[in-house]
Amino acid sequence: GKLCYPGIAAQLETKDCRVEMEKECLYDSAHINVDPTEPAPEAGISGFYTVGSAGIPIQDFIQVSIRPIRVLDSASMNHIVMQRSSGAITEVKKVTWQNGRAEAKFRDSGNFQLLADQEPPLILSSGNIEGADLKKATKLEFVVKDNLGTVKEFKAYMDGKWLLFTNDKS
């Protein structure tokens, strides 16, 4: 890997993956690797890339850019996400496109891959609210699930107006 230092920006690159770290990313000097770990599975749009290790704390976002292994039309590009996994933790981010590469920012190292997100999230109510009179209801409860990972935030609208919701784990 490349020896990177705190207070100095760094860029690490392979043929199809680039990682950019701002000067505030590291607390201490560390060897950072960017390794292709295996070819893409059928559902993957890119190979897997291992960036750094879990033992290296990162204090600011790193930008990961991956070139897809398949040619994508503009409609398909809107459904591409980048997934980071490390042990049992999975995180998914929407990508932006820059010079044929998909880019996303993450706060941790791990294994990165591009995936096609073809399945919309599920929004389930905790009770039967279809056709119910909710004028006297004090709260509405929903569970939001996604097949690619945990939903960290969402926005709710009713008749075009934003609704205040909280992400109450209980």
Side-chain angles (χ1 to χ4, degrees):
K2 180 177 180 179
L3 183 58
C4 301
Y5 301 94
I8 300 174
Q11 182 171 309
L12 304 104
E13 193 162 359
T14 67
K15 178 182 168 220
D16 294 320
C17 180
R18 181 175 57 237
V19 177
E20 296 176 29
M21 299 176 11
E22 296 295 327
K23 61 183 181 178
E24 298 85 15
C25 279
L26 295 176
Y27 292 97
D28 200 359
S29 302
H31 285 276
I32 309 288
N33 296 1
V34 177
D35 297 318
T37 55
E38 60 186 77
E42 289 291 321
I45 304 300
S46 74
F48 286 99
Y49 297 92
T50 300
V51 176
S53 70
I56 301 171
I58 297 174
Q59 72 175 357
D60 200 359
F61 288 93
I62 59 172
Q63 181 166 298
V64 180
S65 303
I66 299 176
R67 186 185 327 275
I69 58 172
R70 300 184 182 134
V71 177
L72 303 170
D73 59 27
S74 59
S76 298
M77 291 171 77
N78 290 331
H79 295 281
I80 303 302
V81 295
M82 190 178 299
Q83 182 181 61
R84 183 192 73 83
S85 58
S86 180
I89 299 169
T90 301
E91 179 181 12
V92 177
K93 298 265 181 113
K94 184 169 175 54
V95 299
T96 57
W97 291 91
Q98 203 64 247
N99 299 325
R101 291 179 185 245
E103 299 181 342
K105 291 185 177 186
F106 294 88
R107 287 291 302 258
D108 293 297
S109 57
N111 299 309
F112 296 86
Q113 179 189 27
L114 298 178
L115 297 173
D117 187 8
Q118 300 295 337
E119 206 172 302
L122 289 174
I123 303 171
L124 308 167
S125 65
S126 59
N128 186 7
I129 61 171
E130 188 71 32
D133 183 2
L134 300 174
K135 291 177 186 169
K136 295 181 181 179
T138 58
K139 67 180 180 175
L140 294 174
E141 293 181 23
F142 297 95
V143 175
V144 182
K145 295 182 178 184
D146 189 69
N147 65 317
L148 293 179
T150 303
V151 176
K152 290 188 177 181
E153 64 181 62
F154 65 91
K155 295 179 183 175
Y157 294 86
M158 183 182 296
D159 297 330
K161 295 181 181 177
W162 176 76
L163 300 175
L164 174 62
F165 270 76
T166 61
N167 190 7
D168 184 1
K169 302 291 185 208
S170 63

